Amino acid sequence: MKTALRELAIFGGAPAFNEELHVGRPNVLGREAFLARVEDMLDRRWLTNDGPYVRELERGFERALSVAHCVAVTNATLGLGILAKALGLTGEVIVPGFTFVATAHALAWHGITPVFADVDPATHNLDASHVESLLTPRTTAIVGVHLWGRPCAVDDFSALAHRRRLALLFDASHALASSHGGRMIGSFGRAEVFSLHATKFAHSFEGGIITTNDEGLAARLRRLRNFGFDGYDSVAELGINGKMSEIQAAMGLASLDRIDEVIDRNRENYERYRARLGRVLGLRLVEYDTRERHNYQYVALEVDAEAAGISRDAIQRVLWAERVLARRYFHPGCHRIEPYRSSPRYRGVRLPVTERLAEEVLCLPSGTAVSGAEIDEVCDLIELCITYGPELATGLDQLAPIMQTAP
Ligand code: T4K
């Protein structure tokens, strides 16, 4: 345990960790089950195109999420785009400014204008009143994002979408196994899209699933992910290749089998961080509503630089030098990245909460690849940063011209 500033790696000490600690290090459980399925898949010579594992995965998620239809796709970004196409979205669609860029890009790729709304400081999710103020005659939909797996204001948006005749869909990339009002995320709005990217707590290397209770929509999604084919050699419409392959589904099934174990581990990790950092002045850990189900994947910390005596970026620099690759998701806010930043359409867009969070949020390593002892060490380092905040900030300023530890 380091107790003095001079011991920090950024000032020349040995890094606290021999190997890098990642946010989003893939959970690799069920290796044997995965490899056995790969053998079967090779024997069967059915590698993609709506194969048996893809179907098994879809049925598995339908059961787990209590939703009527699950459509597996290549990744969540394509899934969002396919869904936008299936719903006939055009014009403007409201999305949060504080989200992963894929939420916006998936729409913009289809010529739809993402309109960025601010988020609620307490939940980090779309602010319903701001959304309403942004609606125009060109608005066709609202995309709620369940950031960190915490449901956004589903009921408010359902009422608003109904009243204004808008499509409502959710980017549920973070929210697998989360619930809202006791009901699993996956059956709200017209449809919801989950990511099964390798960095998600349950994954299929790359992958995504779209869930809906609308049978007609599900059939359209299946057609669109398969070039628009509606029969063996008949094409009904413009589609794309958004299919999930069998090897992806084999990994997805292995992951789904062990999902509860990973959630338990995520929760333990989260509680361990919370016990150490939950009451530190200037730090605020994202809280999960204990009446609902959560996957506890994200350990997101807000650093109030004034109260903590040190900025989020300074803490990140210290951690990176120690080989703790904490991430500043979702810096600097979607409206301030390309192509939106340079587009006249977005000139003058100000999202005060998004912009503050983009400066304050730091995600910490969790998942099955991180041990309790490692979490304690990360907490020691963060506490050291807070204890010596002003001195540390001065020391870092002096290093600034020569040190480039964090991006
Ligand atoms: N909507 C939302 C709200 C999302 O958060 C995302 C994805 C999407 C939509 C789109 O979903 P997909 O189209 O991807 O299905 C990661 C993921 O790439 C991205 O999927 C995720 N959100 C986002 C929040 O996080 P990065 O830039 O953090 O990933 P990367 O490559 O830096 O990996 C994170 C850490 O994990 C690194 O330190 C390296 C380590 N790592 C990564 C991979 C892939 C490994 O150790 N092994 C690996 O195989 O974006």
Side-chain angles (χ1 to χ4, degrees):
M1 176 179 162
K2 301 191 179 195
T3 53
L5 288 187
R6 66 175 185 293
E7 295 173 61
L8 290 174
I10 199 150
F11 297 126
F17 295 94
N18 293 329
E19 284 185 22
E20 290 172 336
L21 234 59
H22 298 271
V23 175
R25 189 81 160 160
N27 296 308
V28 184
L29 275 68
R31 186 185 293 244
E32 291 76 23
F34 165 69
L35 292 173
R37 283 190 178 102
V38 172
E39 293 282 357
D40 277 351
M41 176 194 84
L42 295 174
D43 289 346
R44 178 189 305 140
R45 291 176 193 266
W46 195 276
L47 306 185
T48 185
N49 288 10
D50 201 17
Y53 287 150
V54 164
R55 288 180 177 213
E56 192 183 334
L57 185 79
E58 291 179 338
R59 302 299 83 76
F61 276 113
E62 285 162 6
R63 277 193 302 277
L65 304 180
S66 304
V67 65
H69 306 281
C70 165
V71 180
V73 287
T74 315
N75 57 58
T77 309
L78 259 172
L80 284 165
I82 289 171
L83 178 59
K85 186 92 180 155
L87 294 173
L89 305 188
T90 56
E92 298 172 358
V93 169
I94 313 284
V95 298
F98 195 59
T99 180
F100 188 59
V101 64
T103 315
H105 276 6
L107 300 167
W109 192 259
H110 284 270
I112 297 163
T113 304
V115 173
F116 298 110
D118 213 351
V119 294
D120 180 326
T123 65
H124 298 187
N125 279 323
L126 263 185
D127 173 340
S129 58
H130 194 218
V131 169
E132 187 148 15
S133 74
L134 294 170
L135 300 180
T136 73
R138 281 172 49 75
T139 312
T140 56
I142 300 167
V143 180
V145 178
H146 307 302
L147 207 78
W148 317 133
R150 300 190 302 181
C152 65
V154 168
D155 304 323
D156 291 348
F157 293 124
S158 300
L160 179 61
H162 182 72
R163 191 156 34 89
R164 302 293 290 259
R165 295 173 183 278
L166 298 170
L168 175 64
L169 49 150
F170 295 102
D171 177 342
S173 288
H174 297 187
L176 186 62
S178 297
S179 68
H180 168 69
R183 187 168 133 197
M184 298 309 285
I185 295 291
S187 59
F188 294 99
R190 295 292 308 279
E192 307 206 51
V193 181
F194 297 82
S195 170
L196 294 178
H197 182 258
T199 55
K200 296 293 181 287
F201 80 98
H203 70 92
S204 57
F205 302 133
E206 290 275 358
I209 51 171
I210 312 173
T211 55
T212 180
N213 282 323
D214 180 334
E215 191 177 351
L217 178 60
R220 180 101 196 270
L221 292 167
R222 290 183 199 289
R223 201 161 68 202
L224 288 175
R225 79 170 171 186
N226 187 29
F227 312 101
F229 275 99
D230 69 346
Y232 191 69
D233 54 8
S234 87
V235 175
E237 62 176 324
L238 176 67
I240 189 100
N241 184 353
K243 290 167 286 155
M244 178 183 274
S245 69
E246 286 291 275
I247 196 158
Q248 285 176 279
M251 189 68 226
L253 284 165
S255 219
L256 187 58
D257 289 345
R258 309 286 291 268
I259 201 166
D260 290 336
E261 258 170 84
V262 181
I263 293 174
D264 286 349
R265 184 63 180 278
N266 284 348
R267 185 180 184 143
E268 261 172 46
N269 290 350
Y270 169 78
E271 295 295 353
R272 199 168 185 119
Y273 275 118
R274 189 161 173 264
R276 290 287 304 273
L277 303 177
R279 294 213 187 110
V280 175
L281 189 69
L283 302 184
R284 184 171 161 257
L285 203 62
V286 155
E287 295 279 341
Y288 293 101
D289 179 347
T290 50
R291 293 164 304 180
E292 301 287 355
R293 294 180 60 176
H294 297 285
N295 58 53
Y296 295 92
Q297 161 160 13
Y298 289 100
V299 181
L301 196 63
E302 274 175 52
V303 181
D304 173 344
E306 208 169 304
I310 187 160
S311 69
R312 181 275 313 268
D313 285 355
I315 295 177
Q316 192 201 26
R317 284 184 68 194
V318 169
L319 293 178
W320 274 58
E322 304 292 345
R323 302 199 174 122
V324 179
L325 306 189
R327 299 295 296 265
R328 44 186 200 173
Y329 295 139
F330 290 100
H331 179 87
C334 280
H335 61 304
R336 299 198 294 188
I337 53 178
E338 297 297 356
Y340 316 106
R341 180 174 61 183
S342 302
S343 158
R345 171 72 181 73
Y346 298 93
R347 195 164 297 141
V349 170
R350 289 287 168 274
L351 305 174
V353 180
T354 293
E355 289 164 22
R356 177 177 66 74
L357 293 175
E359 297 308 314
E360 293 190 349
V361 167
L362 191 63
C363 285
L364 302 175
S366 186
T368 56
V370 182
S371 71
E374 287 170 330
I375 289 173
D376 290 344
E377 181 92 45
V378 173
C379 292
D380 289 341
L381 289 165
I382 294 173
E383 281 184 347
L384 189 67
C385 290
I386 305 280
T387 308
Y388 295 103
E391 287 163 82
L392 180 53
T394 310
L396 290 175
D397 280 349
Q398 284 160 4
L399 288 178
I402 47 167
M403 294 293 301
Q404 273 286 317
T405 341

